[in-house]
Amino acid sequence: MAFDTTANRKRPQNFEALKGQDFVVSTLKSSIESGRIAHAYLFSGPRGVGKTTSARLLAKALCCKNGPTANPCGECEMCKSIASSSAVDVIEIDGASNTGVDDIRTIKEELMFPPQYSRYKIYIIDEVHMLSTSAFNALLKTIEEPPEWAVFIFATTELQKVPSTIQSRCQCFNFRLFCEETISSLIKKAADEDSIKIDDNSVLWISKRARGSMRDAYTLFDQCASFANGDITFEKIKSELGITGPDELLELFSYAINGEVDKAILKLNTLFKAGKSPEAFVTDAANYLRDALLIVSGIEEKTLLFSPVEYFDKQLLLSVGKTGLEKALERFLRLYREIRYSIAPIYEIECALSSFSELKYSLTNEQIVMQLEGLKKTLLEGLNKTDQNLTFSITDTQENNRAQNIEQREAVSVSENPFDAHTPVENSEKNTDSTDKQIADIIKKSSMILYSAFLSKAFLEKKDEGYVLGITSVLGYTECQKPESLKLITNAVNSVYGTSLPLTIEKVQSAKKEREYTKADEIAKMFKGDVV
C-alpha cells in the first residue's frame, strides 16, 4: 500500500477536529444550523492553516444526506466521495492552472444544469488570486446571483490580489497561523499513533521551524521520521539536516565576543566541514541572536524563543549589552541578503564574526552623550584647578619657577579626606585622585557606561551610615540608580577602602563653572605662551 503522508492522513474530517480556527468553525456551524448559507465564501490566510480542508468540510456539511448539518455523518456516499475528492457535484479547481476567461465560461455553462447526486453544486477554487482580471470580471454576475443550487468557495494566500468587487460579494474568513502549543500537541499525538519516540527539543524545533503552518510541521515530522528509525532526537536532526545547535552557537559566539578570533574561525570551519551550509548557518545564528536580544530585554517566554534559556551565557550577554546584540543581529540579517551574491559566503561569515569583539563597546546616542558629559566635567575640573595658581610659560626661567611652584604646592597642600568628613586626612589631593582612579578602573572593567557615569560625580564622602556619591549629570544619576549599577559601585568603593558599608546616590547641582576668558589668556596669546 502506498505511503500516505501525515498531513493527508491527519486532515480533519469534521469541524470538531479542525484545531486553531475556532472563529471559522463557530461561524460556519452557526450559519449552517440557522440556514443562512451564502452563495460565495472567501477563505484567506497563510499556507497550511486549513483553508482547503475547511472548504471540503463545508461541502460535506451542505451535501451530507442528513444535511445541511453542522455535523456531517462521514459515512454516506457523498461524505466519502468528498473526502476522496471524487464527488461529481463538488468540483475542485486549481486557480493557478485555470486563469482565463474560457475557464470561467465553462463554469458558467455547467451551472445551467442542477447537481446530479446532491442538493448543491459546489465549486472550490484554490489560489483564486491567480485568475486574470478578465476572469474575475466574468465571475462577478455569477457569484452575485447564482442558481439556488450553486455555492462558490474561494481560497487564497494573497488576499490583497483579490479584487474588492469579488470580496464584497463573498463572506470572508481570515485563517490564522497555528500557535506553537497546538502544533507541538498535534506532533506528539501523531508520533504516538505511529509508535515513534520524539524528544521535547525535537518537538520544539519542528513547531518553531513550521512557523505556524500545520502542513509544514507534518512534512518536517515525516522527514525526521524517515531517518530516525523510530526514535527522533535533536542530535539526529542536527546531524542529518545540517542544523547548527544552540550549544555550538554559544561556544562560537563566546570565542568571537571575547576576542578569540582564531578559535572562532576554527570552530566555524569545523561546522562547515560537518556539512552545514552557509545559508542555514546564518539563519540559525540570526535566530540565536534574536533569542539573546530577547533574554537581555528580560523576555524568557519559551514560546518566543527558538532555543532553551540554558544555552545562553547571561553574563556574556550583559557584557555585550542590548545595543551590541542589536548590531550583531542586524549584521547577520544583512549578511543573509548579501551571501547569495558573494563569491565566497564563508569569508563573509568569518568577517562578521571577527567584528564581534567590538560589540562590548557599542553605545547608543544617549550613552555617547553621557560619556561626553563625563569627559567635559573632567576637563572643566582640570581647568578650574589651574585657575587657583596661574603662571605664564613665557621664558625658560618662568617655566622653571612654575615647576618649583607646583612641587611646593603638592608638598604642602593638604585637603580633607573625601571619605571621612569627621577625621583629619592622611592622604594628599594627589593620593585622593589616585584612589578615585582605582575605583573608576574597577568600574570600567565591568561597564563602560557606568564608568562614564562615575566620571560625572561631584563628590564621594564617607559618613556614619555609609558612603554618599553625588552625581551632577542627569543621565549619570539615572544610570547609577539602577540596582545592578549601585551594587557594582558599592563593591568597587569597598574593595578599594577595605570596608563593607552601603552607598547611596544623590543628585546635586554642579557648583563649578567653565573658566571664562581672562586677561591672562590674552597676555599668554600675545607672547605665544600657555596659562597653567
Side-chain angles (χ1 to χ4, degrees):
M1 185 175 180
F3 171 72
D4 192 14
T5 62
T6 303
N8 287 335
R9 181 166 44 85
K10 298 289 292 181
R11 188 186 292 273
Q13 298 301 318
N14 52 64
F15 285 118
E16 284 70 21
L18 184 61
K19 304 297 183 182
Q21 308 297 342
D22 297 337
F23 168 74
V24 175
V25 171
S26 61
T27 305
L28 289 178
K29 290 178 68 174
S30 297
S31 63
I32 293 171
E33 291 172 351
S34 62
R36 304 176 67 86
I37 300 171
H39 287 296
Y41 296 87
L42 178 58
F43 296 162
S44 63
R47 68 181 188 276
V49 295
K51 298 186 297 296
T52 304
T53 298
S54 298
R56 292 178 180 176
L57 292 178
L58 179 57
K60 274 187 183 182
L62 297 178
C63 297
C64 178
K65 70 176 184 179
N66 300 325
T69 175
N71 300 295
C73 65
E75 301 295 333
C76 66
E77 189 65 29
M78 283 305 301
C79 288
K80 290 182 179 180
S81 61
I82 292 173
S84 61
S85 300
S86 60
V88 175
D89 295 325
V90 179
I91 302 98
E92 294 192 29
I93 300 173
D94 179 16
S97 305
N98 303 271
T99 62
V101 177
D102 292 338
D103 301 305
I104 301 302
R105 185 179 294 116
T106 301
I107 295 175
K108 295 175 69 174
E109 292 173 354
E110 292 175 355
L111 282 176
M112 296 172 62
F113 305 96
Q116 299 181 34
Y117 301 103
S118 65
R119 64 182 61 87
Y120 289 100
K121 180 176 284 189
I122 300 174
Y123 285 88
I124 300 174
I125 303 180
D126 203 5
E127 300 301 330
V128 71
H129 65 272
M130 297 295 289
L131 296 181
S132 64
T133 303
S134 56
F136 274 125
N137 291 334
L139 264 179
L140 290 178
K141 190 65 175 177
T142 303
I143 64 175
E144 185 174 15
E145 296 179 1
E148 60 181 7
W149 56 75
V151 174
F152 287 90
I153 306 175
F154 304 128
T156 178
T157 55
E158 300 185 47
L159 180 63
Q160 72 279 3
K161 292 185 179 181
V162 179
S164 57
T165 52
I166 295 293
Q167 296 185 37
S168 64
R169 290 166 168 81
C170 302
Q171 285 193 10
C172 300
F173 292 86
N174 185 26
F175 284 66
R176 305 170 182 173
L177 290 169
F178 285 83
C179 64
E180 292 175 7
E181 291 86 352
T182 301
I183 294 177
S184 298
S185 63
L186 293 175
I187 289 296
K188 289 180 180 179
K189 185 177 180 181
D192 291 339
E193 292 177 356
D194 292 344
S195 300
I196 296 176
K197 295 181 180 179
I198 183 169
D199 60 16
D200 292 338
N201 286 337
S202 299
V203 173
L204 177 64
W205 179 81
I206 291 175
S207 62
K208 293 287 186 182
R209 190 57 61 96
R211 299 186 182 278
S213 172
M214 199 63 237
R215 184 172 61 236
D216 287 6
Y218 281 138
T219 301
L220 287 171
F221 171 74
D222 286 340
Q223 185 178 5
C224 296
S226 63
F227 60 72
N229 295 323
D231 186 9
I232 301 176
T233 63
F234 190 58
E235 292 299 323
K236 291 181 180 179
I237 293 177
K238 288 196 302 181
S239 175
E240 298 296 332
L241 299 184
I243 299 169
T244 307
D247 52 338
E248 297 169 319
L249 291 170
L250 172 60
E251 182 182 2
L252 178 64
F253 287 144
S254 297
Y255 288 146
I257 293 172
N258 291 325
E260 299 177 284
V261 180
D262 53 341
K263 293 182 180 179
I265 299 299
L266 291 175
K267 177 64 179 178
L268 182 67
N269 187 52
T270 302
L271 295 177
F272 287 138
K273 281 184 177 180
K276 295 175 174 58
S277 69
E279 293 80 5
F281 170 80
V282 172
T283 300
D284 295 331
N287 289 332
Y288 186 85
L289 290 172
R290 178 255 188 188
D291 289 351
L293 184 58
L294 291 179
I295 292 174
V296 168
S297 301
I299 301 173
E300 298 185 4
E301 179 64 37
K302 292 182 179 179
T303 58
L304 295 178
L305 302 178
F306 272 84
S307 305
V309 180
E310 56 266 23
Y311 288 105
F312 296 88
D313 186 345
K314 292 188 178 180
Q315 293 298 325
L316 182 66
L317 298 183
L318 290 175
S319 68
V320 175
K322 184 178 178 181
T323 304
L325 290 173
E326 286 176 350
K327 290 185 177 181
L329 178 57
E330 181 183 0
R331 180 72 180 91
F332 266 82
L333 292 176
R334 186 170 65 252
L335 185 62
Y336 185 82
R337 296 189 294 269
E338 294 174 350
I339 58 176
R340 67 181 65 183
Y341 305 110
S342 174
I343 60 172
I346 295 179
Y347 298 168
E348 301 270 4
I349 299 174
E350 289 175 348
C351 290
L353 288 176
S354 299
S355 65
F356 269 37
S357 59
E358 303 173 1
L359 295 178
K360 292 183 178 180
Y361 307 103
S362 300
L363 300 175
T364 63
N365 293 337
E366 182 184 60
Q367 294 163 350
I368 293 174
V369 170
M370 185 186 298
Q371 288 205 10
L372 290 176
E373 284 189 357
L375 293 174
K376 180 180 178 181
K377 176 178 172 55
T378 303
L379 180 61
L380 292 178
E381 287 179 349
L383 292 176
N384 286 329
K385 286 182 180 179
T386 59
D387 278 345
Q388 297 173 4
N389 295 280
L390 291 176
T391 59
F392 303 97
S393 177
I394 300 176
T395 63
D396 293 339
T397 303
Q398 289 173 326
E399 179 66 26
N400 292 333
N401 292 336
R402 184 190 65 170
Q404 294 176 2
N405 290 338
I406 294 175
E407 291 177 358
Q408 293 174 1
R409 185 173 74 251
E410 291 181 347
V412 302
S413 175
V414 178
S415 62
E416 186 178 343
N417 187 347
F419 292 94
D420 194 347
H422 307 290
T423 59
V425 293
E426 298 177 0
N427 295 332
S428 65
E429 181 181 356
K430 180 177 180 180
N431 292 334
T432 301
D433 292 341
S434 175
T435 304
D436 286 353
K437 186 176 184 301
Q438 294 179 32
I439 299 173
D441 288 341
I442 295 175
I443 297 174
K444 183 178 181 181
K445 293 179 181 179
S446 301
S447 173
M448 288 293 296
I449 300 173
L450 191 58
Y451 169 71
S452 63
F454 182 77
L455 292 180
S456 66
K457 70 180 180 62
F459 59 84
L460 182 60
E461 297 180 347
K462 180 182 178 185
K463 296 185 178 180
D464 294 337
E465 63 275 10
Y467 297 109
V468 178
L469 175 63
I471 301 293
T472 59
S473 167
V474 176
L475 294 175
Y477 174 75
T478 303
E479 182 67 26
C480 292
Q481 279 287 72
K482 296 179 180 179
E484 61 273 13
S485 300
L486 182 61
K487 181 179 179 181
L488 182 58
I489 299 175
T490 304
N491 292 338
V493 172
N494 284 323
S495 65
V496 171
Y497 285 92
T499 58
S500 59
L501 298 175
L503 182 140
T504 56
I505 308 295
E506 291 183 358
K507 178 69 179 72
V508 297
Q509 297 293 333
S510 178
K512 297 181 179 180
K513 298 183 180 178
E514 187 176 355
R515 184 172 65 86
E516 298 180 353
Y517 189 80
T518 63
K519 191 69 175 178
D521 293 284
E522 185 176 347
I523 297 173
K525 183 178 180 181
M526 181 184 305
F527 290 95
K528 297 182 179 180
D530 297 317
V531 179
V532 297

